[in-house]
Amino acid sequence: MTQVVLIRPGATAYDEQNRVQGILDIPLSDRGRVEVVQLAEKLAEPCSGIARLTALYCGPGESVVRTAETVGKALGLRPKRIDCLRNLDQGLWQGLQFDEIKRRNLKVFRQWLDDPVTVCPPLGETIENAQERIKQALRPLIRRHHDESIGLVAGEPIAQLIACYLRRDPRVQLEDRVPTGGFERIEFSPDSERNGH
């Protein structure tokens, strides 16, 4: 069993403005920098309930990398960047506020939240392509860190897709408002993947 601590980066100006970030490279905001410092302190506490991390990985992007560096410094780990864990390319939706997308096409936006596999933002990436990237990136990590705890810093919504993969949740649902600067622990058994799950 491998424990993955899935870490969300601190807030960016886009998070604060409720905008779709996608693969746009937006730095941490002042609030985001404070969140990351608090997150790093919490993860470093012996009473955090997290086993000592043996490695820390992150996707690309300014807010993700800065979060990983701050957390890594607090834990004595050097983050390793994995480009395949880049955020979901949301095409022409990037930079728009969620409310703006809802106003333009409420039905498509609701479908995106409820069943995102059936919707691809204009000029964006499909959920299936992102899921395949996640599998290709995580399989070797899980094998390498069998029976260990690792940290993984990823932005939204790719973090939700990573969580679905690790939990072996067949139904993908996305939330449009996931708290920044947080983390969750997910236990993953490589044996279940070999059995086709």
Side-chain angles (χ1 to χ4, degrees):
M1 193 72 85
T2 302
Q3 182 184 83
V4 177
V5 179
L6 184 56
I7 301 165
R8 266 68 174 196
T12 67
Y14 271 31
D15 292 309
E16 294 170 2
Q17 297 164 8
N18 204 26
R19 292 184 185 276
V20 176
Q21 186 166 313
I23 59 170
L24 299 178
D25 202 5
I26 312 296
L28 293 168
S29 64
D30 290 341
R31 182 186 105 197
R33 285 189 288 278
V34 170
E35 288 175 342
V36 169
V37 169
Q38 292 171 344
L39 171 66
E41 290 170 355
K42 187 171 185 176
L43 288 169
E45 289 174 1
C47 60
S48 67
I50 295 174
R52 185 182 171 280
L53 300 183
T54 57
L56 181 62
Y57 298 93
C58 68
E62 178 77 13
S63 64
V64 172
V65 171
R66 294 296 162 250
T67 298
E69 288 173 348
T70 303
V71 168
K73 187 174 182 181
L75 300 177
L77 294 170
R78 185 173 180 201
K80 297 174 186 102
R81 186 173 133 167
I82 300 175
D83 288 335
C84 284
L85 295 179
R86 69 186 172 278
N87 210 349
L88 183 69
D89 184 344
Q90 295 179 308
L92 297 179
W93 286 1
Q94 293 171 162
L96 298 177
Q97 291 183 313
F98 286 102
D99 288 342
E100 195 174 349
I101 298 168
K102 285 179 194 176
R103 273 195 312 273
R104 288 182 182 182
N105 197 329
L106 181 60
K107 183 179 175 184
V108 170
F109 187 76
R110 281 189 180 154
Q111 186 177 347
W112 166 252
L113 294 177
D114 294 339
D115 194 7
V117 174
T118 63
V119 176
C120 182
L123 302 181
E125 177 183 23
T126 66
I127 295 292
E128 289 94 346
N129 286 348
Q131 287 173 316
E132 192 55 38
R133 274 196 292 115
I134 290 166
K135 286 179 192 175
Q136 296 306 315
L138 294 185
R139 281 180 177 154
L141 294 184
I142 299 298
R143 280 194 300 269
R144 185 178 313 139
H145 296 287
H146 181 67
D147 287 334
E148 295 177 348
S149 290
I150 62 171
L152 182 59
V153 184
E156 286 301 337
I158 204 75
Q160 290 180 70
L161 298 179
I162 291 169
C164 284
Y165 170 73
L166 292 172
R167 289 189 191 111
R168 293 171 279 334
D169 189 346
R171 181 157 159 68
V172 174
Q173 281 188 285
L174 299 178
E175 296 179 38
D176 61 340
R177 297 177 198 251
V178 177
T180 54
F183 69 92
E184 63 181 299
R185 291 182 301 272
I186 303 171
E187 300 284 336
F188 182 84
S189 172
D191 295 334
S192 63
E193 185 160 84
R194 280 196 289 270
N195 295 330
H197 298 283

